[in-house]
Structures are given as C-alpha cells and as structure tokens.
C-alpha cells in the first residue's frame, strides 16, 4: 500500500483590523485547491493578532473543505457518465 501525502500551506496577512488567510492544498493527483477566510477585529476589542489569525485560518480551512468537496462531487458526476434511459 502506497502512502500519499497532501500538503496544505497557510498564508496569513494583516491589514489594519482585517486578517486574511489563504489555505492552499497541493496533491500529486489534482491541481491546487484554495480556500480563503477573513477575520475583522471590532475596533473596541483589544488587538490580539493571534485571535484574528485563528479565526481567519479556520474560515479558510472551512472554505477549502467545501471547495474540495465540490471538486470530488464534480469528479463523481464526470465519471458516472450519463444517466441510464
């Protein structure tokens, strides 16, 4: 049995009160799939960058999961062929 390795790279940027995250999945079998997430700090909250990072990354990973599911669903439809008459 061959072990497979998929890699997810997380990129985080901050712009004022906004934190943006991008989660990029790379496999040998498919092109890359990318999820994105954003967190916005309420100006009355204390600036704790780690919380913004955590929220933005969790949202990017959630988006990545949805997009990966869509890729799998499209593959199933494509391989299933036309419905029998």
């Amino acid at each position: 049995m061959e072990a497979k390795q998929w890699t997810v790279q997380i990129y985080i940027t901050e712009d004022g009160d906004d934190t943006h995250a991008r989660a990029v999945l790379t496999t040998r079998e498919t092109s890359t799939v990318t999820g994105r997430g954003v967190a916005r700090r309420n100006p009355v909250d204390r600036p704790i960058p780690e919380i913004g990072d955590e929220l933005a990354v969790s949202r990017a990973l959630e988006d990545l999961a949805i997009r990966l599911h869509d890729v799998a669903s499209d593959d199933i439809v494509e391989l299933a062929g036309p419905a029998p008459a």
Side-chain angles (χ1 to χ4, degrees):
M1 177 167 60
E2 177 187 350
K4 297 179 184 180
Q5 179 174 333
W6 290 12
T7 303
V8 176
Q9 293 182 305
I10 306 291
Y11 302 91
I12 303 169
T13 57
E14 294 179 12
D15 182 17
D17 291 335
D18 294 346
T19 302
H20 299 265
R22 192 167 43 102
V24 181
L25 171 68
T26 305
T27 72
R28 290 190 308 181
E29 294 83 15
T30 65
S31 59
T32 60
V33 180
T34 302
R36 299 180 188 283
V38 177
R40 291 184 177 86
R41 182 179 66 86
N42 186 323
V44 299
D45 291 340
R46 293 184 308 159
I48 303 173
E50 184 176 352
I51 294 172
D53 293 351
E54 292 165 347
L55 286 171
V57 169
S58 70
R59 292 170 180 161
L61 289 170
E62 180 179 25
D63 185 46
L64 175 63
I66 292 167
R67 291 176 186 273
L68 183 59
H69 187 270
D70 289 345
V71 168
S73 296
D74 290 346
D75 288 346
I76 290 167
V77 169
E78 182 180 317
L79 293 173

